[in-house]
Amino acid sequence: MKNFKLSSPVLVAALAMSASAVSAQDLTLTLGHAVFESHPFHDASVRFAEAVGEISEGSMTIDIFPARQMGDVKELMEGVQLGTVDMTVNSSSALATLTSSIDAFQLPYVMRTYEDFARMAVSPEAEAIMKSLSDHGMIGLGLYEGGQRHFLSTGEPVEELANFKGRKTRVAPTKLFLSVWQATGVNPTPMAYGEVYSGLETGAIDAVEINLTSIESEGLYEAAKNVTLTGHYFWPGIMLINQGVFDGLTEEQQGILQEAARSVVKPQVMAVAEYDEKLKVSLAEKGVNFTEATDAFVAELEEAWAPVVQDYADSDPLIADFIKQASASE
């Protein structure tokens, strides 16, 4: 992997406001994201930048600014919309506030494995959903993955649906996630992501639905020891580029960005799957207890979540098409 040198805040701002220096032969785009360099979204960014450089034979460069150097999730999304930021990789859950069809990517058990996700991420149905972002000044170039979600809890392990009842569980405060988790009987508890560790430690919450990468990077294994491997949905990120910036490129440059974004989807997604397996070993060594969700437990969850999935399918034909194709691919 290439090393991307970080510039001063002044230069970062100047690069962002300039909206890129473009000529017939040379193109430099800035890509800011909100996660640390250990996160899968940074890996997606680096893989994309390398692919762009290779396909363009060095005439196109992607400068990456990680870890909120160009703003947090909301600021980066707004920056891409306005054109003050060229590109970002942003959580799909944040984008669902702009176009509800994005929720298709996080409906429970619509995609079950990383192989399912990699296949559906480049499907016509996924591309149709991302295309709806053009109504908001952005182009969705690619769909990547941050880590399949599981259930981390204090107290007794969760082994059946009844064990969820009343557990104070931190979930992202969106309509979709509140509907999903209310259906299981937990007590959804809104809480800032940065407060999850202290919440588990103090008992303000009993559990959190989360990915293994975050359990490791945030040190949550110190405050909660039980992980039930439910694999209920994924945590996708969408690579976005400002509509005006994209439209201002040559047809060849546009094609290079699209080819690069698509080419790295499967390698990036499967790298997260491999990392998950390593994390299971390292977290177990740190005292985390893993419980595999049984077929009976998964069936209980499917039954509880079926009305939620159906409601979303009924609400938007793009969501319905995505669900239908995902089910046909199983």
Side-chain angles (χ1 to χ4, degrees):
M1 281 188 184
K2 297 177 182 177
N3 293 319
F4 296 90
K5 294 183 179 179
L6 305 181
S7 302
S8 68
V10 173
L11 180 55
V12 170
L15 286 168
M17 293 303 294
S18 69
S20 307
V22 182
S23 70
Q25 279 78 36
D26 297 298
L27 170 69
T28 298
L29 296 173
T30 58
L31 189 160
H33 63 65
V35 298
F36 294 108
E37 293 182 42
S38 59
H39 195 281
F41 290 169
H42 179 72
D43 180 52
S45 303
V46 172
R47 288 173 187 268
F48 169 73
E50 292 178 338
V52 167
E54 182 177 344
I55 297 168
S56 71
E57 298 182 342
S59 68
M60 298 173 66
T61 302
I62 308 296
D63 284 344
I64 301 174
F65 299 92
R68 296 184 288 279
Q69 291 184 69
M70 298 180 75
D72 61 20
V73 169
K74 184 173 184 290
E75 290 167 340
L76 287 165
M77 182 172 68
E78 292 173 346
V80 172
Q81 285 183 279
L82 295 171
T84 57
V85 178
D86 292 334
M87 301 184 67
T88 190
V89 178
N90 220 330
S91 168
S92 66
S93 60
L95 294 165
T97 59
L98 300 179
T99 175
S100 60
S101 58
I102 295 288
D103 280 330
F105 302 145
Q106 292 189 284
L107 289 170
Y109 289 142
V110 167
M111 296 178 286
R112 295 174 180 270
T113 67
Y114 281 101
E115 289 83 358
D116 289 340
F117 184 95
R119 181 174 59 249
M120 288 303 299
V122 295
S123 67
E125 291 76 16
E127 290 175 358
I129 290 171
M130 288 191 287
K131 189 175 181 180
S132 65
L133 291 167
S134 63
D135 294 336
H136 302 278
M138 299 180 285
I139 299 288
L141 292 176
L143 184 65
Y144 304 99
E145 179 48 30
Q148 194 172 30
R149 306 287 273 196
H150 303 287
F151 198 80
L152 174 68
S153 61
T154 60
E156 294 298 316
V158 171
E159 298 179 330
E160 58 183 351
L161 189 65
N163 297 151
F164 278 131
K165 187 172 178 60
R167 294 211 183 200
K168 295 175 290 184
T169 304
R170 188 270 177 181
V171 301
T174 70
K175 179 183 176 184
L176 171 61
F177 297 138
L178 290 172
S179 297
V180 165
W181 289 101
Q182 285 168 349
T184 68
V186 303
N187 177 14
T189 305
M191 178 177 287
Y193 179 68
E195 297 174 5
V196 171
Y197 183 100
S198 62
L200 290 168
E201 191 174 43
T202 62
I205 55 173
D206 305 316
V208 56
E209 64 86 22
I210 201 162
N211 43 32
L212 300 184
T213 54
S214 294
I215 294 174
E216 170 74 21
S217 63
E218 299 291 330
L220 301 182
Y221 57 84
E222 296 173 348
K225 297 295 186 184
N226 295 311
V227 174
T228 303
L229 296 169
T230 48
H232 40 271
Y233 47 69
F234 290 87
W235 201 258
I238 298 178
M239 183 167 289
L240 304 166
I241 184 169
N242 172 264
Q243 174 92 55
V245 170
F246 186 80
D247 290 346
L249 304 180
T250 66
E251 186 175 336
E252 180 184 10
Q253 289 170 335
Q254 291 177 351
I256 288 170
L257 293 180
Q258 291 168 328
E259 180 184 349
R262 187 180 180 91
S263 71
V264 301
V265 169
K266 187 169 184 178
Q268 187 272 334
V269 171
M270 299 315 297
V272 183
E274 183 178 349
Y275 187 38
D276 269 5
E277 294 307 309
K278 293 178 180 178
L279 284 173
K280 289 175 187 177
V281 174
S282 64
L283 288 171
E285 291 173 349
K286 293 173 181 176
V288 173
N289 305 308
F290 285 96
T291 301
E292 289 279 353
T294 64
D295 290 345
F297 186 14
V298 170
E300 284 186 306
L301 288 170
E302 286 181 313
E303 184 177 359
W305 285 331
V308 177
V309 174
Q310 189 60 53
D311 284 347
Y312 275 81
D314 293 342
S315 72
D316 191 316
L318 291 178
I319 295 178
D321 288 346
F322 186 87
I323 294 171
K324 181 179 180 181
Q325 185 57 38
S327 299
S329 300
E330 289 179 357

